[in-house]
């Protein structure tokens, strides 16, 4: 939880919670005020920060433009331009849905990610203590999923094997948080769980995808907060969070 809240900006990582919040506040303010001028797009700073906060509050959630516009107090037609600006500033990104025509029932909305988990936590006013509070525990799962997604997106720049990152959900509610598609079409599927132990239920979406893809399904992992990984049968396994950066 401390690693998630610290985020990836070197200047903010070793600060206290209070000083880190001040740093994030100043960074976002400078970025939205100064760098938007270079983009030559006139969007009020208040609108940008409002939409950024809403995306952080719904970290790793599917994009519903009408809802985002309504909650942010802006016309739905203005939402795409606002999202484009936040993306151009490297504050957010969209994970596209994976729709390989397995069936005609895939959901086609992207997931939105605030790229730095520390900034997402700051914008949502969440500390490590708040994430550990059982009464507010619903925030940990989305933040953890965003953390994993951002880590995988960063690692594309130095991975020996190139890959693209997607998410998948069909209209029956079966879903997998993250899909890595390799150049040959092979798929590595990842489910993220904010739990220290993994059980068979956590693999439901991975098993569904394995059945649909056959040999194209290379592996499916549940990434969790425990300390060890285990095999769960045919091409399925669990990995601790630090498996993202440790062999």
């Amino acid at each position: 939880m401390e690693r998630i809240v610290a985020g990836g900006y070197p200047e903010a990582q070793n600060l206290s919670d209070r000083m880190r919040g001040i740093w994030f506040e100043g960074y976002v303010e400078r970025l939205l005020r100064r760098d938007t001028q270079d983009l030559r797009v006139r969007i009020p700073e208040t609108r940008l920060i409002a939409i950024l906060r809403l995306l952080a509050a719904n970290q790793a959630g599917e994009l519903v433009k009408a809802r985002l516009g309504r909650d942010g107090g802006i016309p739905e037609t203005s939402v795409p331009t606002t999202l484009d600006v936040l993306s151009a500033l490297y504050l957010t990104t969209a994970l596209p849905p994976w729709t390989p025509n397995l069936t005609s029932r895939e959901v086609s909305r992207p997931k939105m990610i605030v790229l730095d988990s520390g900034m997402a936590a700051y914008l949502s006013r969440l500390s490590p203590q708040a994430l550990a509070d059982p009464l507010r525990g619903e925030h940990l799962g989305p933040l953890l999923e965003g953390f994993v997604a951002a880590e995988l997106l960063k690692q594309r720049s130095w991975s020996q094997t190139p890959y693209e990152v997607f998410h998948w959900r069909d209209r029956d509610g079966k879903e997998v948080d993250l899909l890595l598609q390799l150049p040959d079409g092979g798929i590595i599927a990842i489910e993220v769980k904010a739990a220290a132990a993994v059980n068979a239920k956590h693999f439901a979406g991975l098993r569904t995808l394995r059945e649909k893809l056959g040999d194209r399904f290379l592996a499916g992992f549940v990434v969790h907060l425990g300390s060890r990984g285990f095999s769960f049968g045919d091409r399925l396994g669990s990995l601790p969070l630090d498996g993202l950066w440790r062999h």
Side-chain angles (χ1 to χ4, degrees):
M1 296 175 193
E2 291 176 356
R3 186 185 292 271
I4 290 172
V5 171
Y9 292 105
E11 300 91 335
Q13 284 186 334
N14 295 322
L15 298 177
S16 66
D17 290 346
R18 175 173 171 75
M19 294 306 298
R20 187 183 298 118
I22 293 173
W23 188 90
F24 276 126
E25 181 180 11
Y27 179 79
V28 171
E29 182 179 343
R30 291 193 305 271
L31 198 64
L32 298 184
R33 180 177 299 170
R34 180 192 64 197
D35 290 18
T36 51
Q37 297 177 3
D38 296 335
L39 298 176
R40 299 180 181 179
V41 178
R42 294 185 178 181
I43 297 179
E45 181 182 336
T46 53
R47 175 185 296 181
L48 290 169
I49 190 64
I51 296 301
L52 185 59
R53 285 189 182 279
L54 288 171
L55 294 175
N58 190 39
Q59 178 77 314
E62 291 184 4
L63 174 63
V64 181
K65 294 178 182 177
R67 183 190 306 161
L68 190 62
R70 181 185 67 246
D71 294 345
I74 66 174
E76 182 180 348
T77 54
S78 299
V79 170
T81 302
T82 305
L83 294 177
D84 287 344
V85 170
L86 294 175
S87 177
L89 295 173
Y90 301 102
L91 291 172
T92 65
T93 194
L95 292 181
W98 191 67
T99 52
N101 297 320
L102 291 174
T103 72
S104 60
R105 297 172 61 79
E106 278 83 21
V107 172
S108 57
R109 290 174 180 156
K111 278 186 175 182
M112 296 302 300
I113 302 290
V114 175
L115 280 168
D116 186 77
S117 62
M119 180 174 291
Y122 156 73
L123 292 167
S124 300
R125 299 178 175 86
L126 294 170
S127 66
Q129 295 75 23
L131 292 178
D133 184 348
L135 297 178
R136 304 180 70 182
E138 72 275 7
H139 298 288
L140 178 58
L143 277 177
L144 183 63
E145 182 180 338
F147 178 92
V148 173
E151 187 69 22
L152 291 169
L153 288 168
K154 286 188 294 185
Q155 291 185 14
R156 288 193 305 177
S157 63
W158 65 79
S159 171
Q160 184 175 357
T161 302
Y163 58 86
E164 297 179 88
V165 184
F166 301 90
H167 78 96
W168 176 74
R169 182 167 72 87
D170 68 14
R171 297 188 188 277
D172 293 326
K174 298 294 179 61
E175 61 182 322
V176 174
D177 292 331
L178 300 165
L179 268 68
L180 311 184
Q181 179 168 290
L182 307 186
D184 62 1
I187 295 295
I188 299 172
I190 298 174
E191 190 72 13
V192 183
K193 294 298 181 183
V198 174
N199 59 52
K201 293 181 180 179
H202 293 152
F203 290 86
L206 297 174
R207 289 193 179 96
T208 297
L209 198 61
R210 182 185 62 186
E211 293 170 2
K212 290 178 178 290
L213 289 177
D215 292 340
R216 190 177 174 188
F217 184 92
L218 303 180
F221 297 102
V222 174
V223 173
H224 57 90
L225 297 177
S227 60
R228 297 182 61 186
F230 297 93
S231 172
F232 279 77
D234 182 17
R235 290 168 288 171
L236 298 177
S238 66
L239 284 174
L241 182 62
D242 65 3
L244 290 171
W245 54 82
R246 291 181 59 186
H247 291 292

